[in-house]
Amino acid sequence: MADLLLALDVKGKSEAVRVAGACTGEVDAIKIGYPLVLSTGLGIVKDLAKAGIPIIADFKVADIPNTNSLICEEVFGAGCSGIITHAFCGHDSLAACVDAAHDHGGVCFVVCEMSHPGALDFLTGENAERMAGMAKAAGADGIIAPATRPERTAILRDIIGTSMKIYSPGVGAQGAQPEDVKKYVDGIIVGRAIYESADPKSAAHEFRVRAR
Ligand code: XMP
């Protein structure tokens, strides 16, 4: 049984509030990222938070520890409850994000293996497995692993165990189905298949039911 996270990659406040409002009650969290925040500013978090749904900032943080800490302070100060970071910058950069999240009562998720075909160039195999181990050692709350490669997500689950969560993108527009991956993960991430739907509420409802 997996939760449903809405990837709200729309542009502009009115569209974001429209889709989030339509999906209220059908999604367990909203994931925001650069497309929305660059078009609206971080103030969009307060607008979305009115619906009472946790907001996770997918900024795929990848910098030196001090800069990562500064980014996280802005994210959590704006009202987000979680951040998604890369791990390939190393243990100290990762620790900065985990520590900042926990200092603010939030959670930190770590990208280990990405869902798109190009992930196979670097973000897979031994690299992904090492990053999963690093995420566990850092005390991260969970990892991001691909619904498009459920067999890889199963391997990463074995590495992190059951005390950490896995959120999994790739369902819908990238071709994966909730049934492919739900037994390995705690949440599926769905963007275009919901926010580009003529009826986002019904689309979200269907994904949520299928993820259960
Ligand atoms: P779609 O429209 O494809 O959106 O359902 C997917 C959302 O998830 C993000 N994404 C990823 N984030 N690791 C991540 O941390 C990944 O492997 C990955 N693949 C997709 C994407 O940016 C979008 O918001």
Side-chain angles (χ1 to χ4, degrees):
M1 183 176 120
D3 285 345
L4 174 62
L5 285 73
L6 169 63
L8 193 56
D9 295 325
V10 300
K11 293 187 187 168
K13 176 178 167 179
S14 60
E15 182 65 357
V17 169
R18 180 188 75 81
V19 175
C23 293
T24 300
E26 303 291 354
V27 300
D28 299 289
I30 294 176
K31 185 179 81 66
I32 61 170
Y34 293 111
L36 180 58
V37 173
L38 291 177
S39 69
T40 62
L42 254 182
I44 192 67
V45 176
K46 292 259 184 305
D47 297 314
L48 296 174
K50 287 174 190 154
I53 306 170
I55 312 287
I56 297 173
D58 182 3
F59 287 159
K60 296 188 175 69
V61 185
D63 215 310
I64 61 170
N66 183 63
T67 306
N68 283 3
S69 298
L70 295 172
I71 293 167
C72 290
E73 282 169 22
E74 292 301 313
V75 163
F76 290 105
C80 291
S81 56
I83 184 128
I84 295 175
T85 181
H86 273 302
F88 59 72
C89 294
H91 68 278
D92 48 357
S93 294
L94 175 57
C97 291
V98 173
D99 292 348
H102 293 173
D103 286 348
H104 289 83
V107 293
C108 180
F109 278 72
V110 181
V111 179
C112 290
E113 174 150 342
M114 294 189 73
S115 56
H116 62 307
L120 298 177
D121 292 339
F122 295 107
L123 286 172
T124 188
E126 186 190 354
N127 289 340
E129 290 155 27
R130 286 179 64 194
M131 289 190 283
M134 186 187 288
K136 185 173 185 180
D141 300 276
I143 66 169
I144 309 293
T148 47
R149 271 174 250 110
E151 72 287 358
R152 292 287 310 152
T153 294
I155 290 169
L156 297 174
R157 169 60 81 193
D158 284 345
I159 292 170
I160 64 168
T162 53
S163 61
M164 292 171 67
K165 291 188 173 182
I166 300 180
Y167 289 158
S168 190
V171 171
Q174 295 181 61
Q177 304 299 320
E179 294 79 5
D180 296 339
V181 80
K182 65 180 181 181
K183 69 179 173 185
Y184 303 122
V185 307
D186 301 279
I188 60 167
I189 297 170
V190 184
R192 286 165 286 179
I194 294 176
Y195 67 72
E196 289 182 351
S197 165
D199 184 352
K201 184 179 183 69
S202 297
H205 180 77
E206 189 180 328
F207 278 113
R208 199 183 205 189
V209 168
R210 291 174 62 194
R212 291 280 150 99

